[in-house]
Amino acid sequence: MDTLYANARIAGTDKPQDLLVEEGRFTRIGEGLARELPAQGYDMTGIETVDLNGKLVCPPFCDTHLHLDYVFTARKPGAANESGTLFEGIQRWSDTKADLTVDEVKTRARKAVAMELRHGVQYIRSHADVTDPNLTSLKALLELREELKDVVTIQIVSFPQEGMYSYRGPHGETGAELVEEGLRMGADCVGGIPHYEACREFGERSMHTVVDLAVKYGRLIDVHCDETDDPNSRFVELLAALAHAEGIGEMTTASHTCSLGSADNSYFFHLTKLLKAARINFACAPTENLYLQGRQDTFPKRRGITRVKELTDNGINVSLGQDSMQDPWYPLGNGNMMIILDYVLHLAQMMSFAELDDALKFPTVNGATTMHLGDGYGIAEGRPANFIVLDATTPFEAVYERADVVRSVRAGCTLFTAETTVDTDLPIMRG
Ligand SMILES: [Zn+2]
């Protein structure tokens, strides 16, 4: 349905804006359109007007790091992570993943997507564990990506959870071979996990393989990179250098990079030059890593997240991820990016008023940059009418209130409003 959304507050504008949405796209954006268009003789037949009452409108949230195949497995027998470490999480998953089926993964993932949607997310980058000879997770998420594409954009990473060169399948297949098979099947991104490999050389080799595969298949890159407090875990420099050499830095994301939170300043100072040149993206999962890292510390205890403030101050793109919803790595998580944002602002000490006023960029435009969404994303004439309405009138208020999302619109169709709910039997309500 064509709709005129009146009285929207858009960050960076002083006065309320009206947004005309026709055939799923923004066709006019400006002040006073509700009054001017009829006066100009514009045919308003069939155009509904919705008054947004000065609420804040922004592009939909992007969750740039999530594992949809793992969600709601935390209470499975044998899955409990006693130590709370990343490495026990991987072991517990490995021990308990043999009974996955495509339907079972899809059922859990659908529920998680519905929760994310209800919090204003319309773009998800999900990893799919391919260190499984049956590629069950990947098959499930590929089906879901297609089935839900009208309500959510899902990018899938062909991700070797148990390593490219440390994993061997029952027929001797390597994780690297399974990652490549995942790309042939249609995954959007190449994944890796160099800090988990059995030795540094395997990790380095895996970074070469990741970049080679991205070039070969023309895909994006998203590596679980240096997710450890070990300051000597430095795979991000190799990933950045290789991606830069191939001219694909902007298509590349280093997820986690917790080790940068422990590295010394002189190393980071030198690394910054490469990161700025390569223009790779960073994805931070603050709640997850606050929980998982620092587990070998007594006190002082490290925070475990990457240098969000310092990367941002250097013009390097950082986006955010929920990462887990009740899986062997993290027992909570509900897909609310305002909670994730709240954590990162505290942990990274980004609380100047300039930083707070600009903070919504992390779950919105920065996420879109990581996901390489280009002109398909954002509030501008000609672009798809995808947006959310927050229960706040300014970005600052949205941040300090951890504002609810009161409306989500996708290609001009309303996915939900404050008065309705998202049905877990997606696809859902169409406007
Ligand atoms: Zn992850």
Side-chain angles (χ1 to χ4, degrees), residues 65 67 127 224 256 323:
H65 192 110
H67 293 260
H127 301 263
H224 281 65
H256 301 294
D323 202 351

Side-chain angles (χ1 to χ4, degrees), residues 157-158 179 183 188-192 210 213-214 219-223:
V157 182
S158 187
V179 168
L183 299 175
D188 304 277
C189 314
V190 191
V210 163
L213 288 173
R219 306 293 162 84
L220 302 170
I221 291 172
D222 195 321
V223 170

Side-chain angles (χ1 to χ4, degrees), residues 65-67 70 127 159 161 224 227 255-256 288 323:
H65 192 110
L66 184 64
H67 293 260
Y70 299 168
H127 301 263
F159 170 53
Q161 176 68 81
H224 281 65
E227 191 178 3
S255 286
H256 301 294
E288 179 100 2
D323 202 351

Side-chain angles (χ1 to χ4, degrees), residues 337-395:
M337 297 307 291
M338 292 303 288
I339 292 177
I340 304 299
L341 176 62
D342 194 50
Y343 267 85
V344 86
L345 294 175
H346 284 84
L347 288 167
Q349 299 180 326
M350 298 184 76
M351 294 233 186
S352 72
F353 288 115
E355 286 168 330
L356 291 168
D357 288 343
D358 199 28
L360 285 175
K361 71 183 177 189
F362 285 108
T364 60
V365 292
N366 287 18
T369 300
T370 290
M371 293 183 72
H372 218 60
L373 299 177
D375 289 345
Y377 183 88
I379 295 171
E381 290 177 2
R383 296 193 184 185
N386 301 341
F387 65 94
I388 57 176
V389 183
L390 292 164
D391 191 13
T393 54
T394 66

